[in-house]
Amino acid sequence: MKGLEGVEKVVVIGLGMTGLSVVNHLLRLPQVLDIKVIDTRDAPPGREQLPASVELCSGEWQMAWLLSADLIVASPGIALATPQLVEAANAGVDIVGDIELFARAVSKPVVAITGSNGKSTVTSLVGEMAKEAGIDVGVGGNIGFAALDMLAQQHDLYVLELSSFQLETTASLQLKAAVYLNLSEDHMDRYPGGIEQYSQAKMRIFDHAELAVYNRDDLATRPEFSGAMASFGFDSAQYGLITFGDEEWLAVDGEAVMPSNDIALVGRHNVANSLAALALADAAGIGREAACRALRRYNGLAHRCQLVASQHGVKWVNDSKATNLASTLAALNGLALPGKLHLLVGGDGKGADFSELQPVLRQLDVRLYCYGRDGFLFQPLADDALAVETMAEAMAIAADDARSGDMVLLSPACASFDQFPNFMARGDAFVELAQQLQHRVGKGS
């Protein structure tokens, strides 16, 4: 395998799904390696799946192993600034991550996605576009399958979601295309240099890309890049939007592709995500017709602006993962409906100030359904606000009041713990009720 010439001793830092994928990948190689694992947790997940031939040190660091290694493979959650890794690096030990091992082994085309928000949606969407085109595609990285586990399946195309943590330890990933979706503050505890250091880690995605795709509406994502570049945004340039007839259309270089209202994903941010996905699909050789079929069909990841029911002209959308104000704002910004928005908010507010929602709500024809422990905090934000005890009660009232062109949206801006074990359980309950209630829309009680 290229890149591991002369390597005999490998130490894997961190077990779990990623660490196990590294160990299994190294064991599949024809060369015989001395593989050891360090995990500072006393009972690391996955230890029972570790082959007997691989020694595990748990609950502490084992510096003798690190300093005698030819290669250290660190899990993304382990910062390179960790003193033990700094000591090993200063001793001349090479430190990489699982994506770097993937880069050294993969022989088929790869596209990759990074950004502060929307990575999982765009990654999944490009995967759906490839499947629609009949391409054997592997989708993973920071989502779903570990990248190295996918190599054993020998796919014809790989679509990777990559975090800044993964990119820190990746140096040779060759990509057909890479996209940097957007930038906002996150993981500042990992980056003492602030948002600039965080962004520079994400910019590493472009280092060996044939095509760099950035967001025209967030120029912090534009790299200093000497190769081919493309961009997406809400104007008419490159991957953008045009008015065709009386409708807004997705367009490429001014040529109409499909109406934006035909996208199954909900929310203005998902129009931008769809444009980014189109750019990657074109670079990967995915046919435009197949890409558009996927855009019309793919209704999103569970609990993230996911269309779960549609009948009598009313859409029911599950955005249960919106457990904070920023997530709900993302769902609402730029939302355009022919009818009324029935918005379900509330739960465990975690002490947040929700007043920032008010200007956005004023731009919408909206009725607020305020439920749960902190639902009362939302009532002053809209004139048409209704206080109820539970989400189920809110949904029943919305079903009776909704008419064609309306949307019933669960985007609660709160955690779920007052009434549900987690946001997944809350979303699942919404889906089940929506599928029951959609049939009585507009019939009254």
Side-chain angles (χ1 to χ4, degrees), residues 8-11 63-72 92-94:
E8 295 180 2
K9 297 180 179 180
V10 182
V11 177
M63 286 306 303
W65 289 5
L66 291 178
L67 295 174
S68 65
D70 301 308
L71 181 70
I72 294 172
V93 183
D94 191 19

Side-chain angles (χ1 to χ4, degrees), residues 369-394:
Y369 298 77
C370 311
Y371 75 91
R373 190 180 73 194
D374 292 331
F376 71 95
L377 296 173
F378 295 87
Q379 285 182 255
L381 304 181
D383 295 333
D384 197 1
L386 177 67
V388 294
E389 288 295 321
T390 67
M391 182 182 75
E393 184 182 350

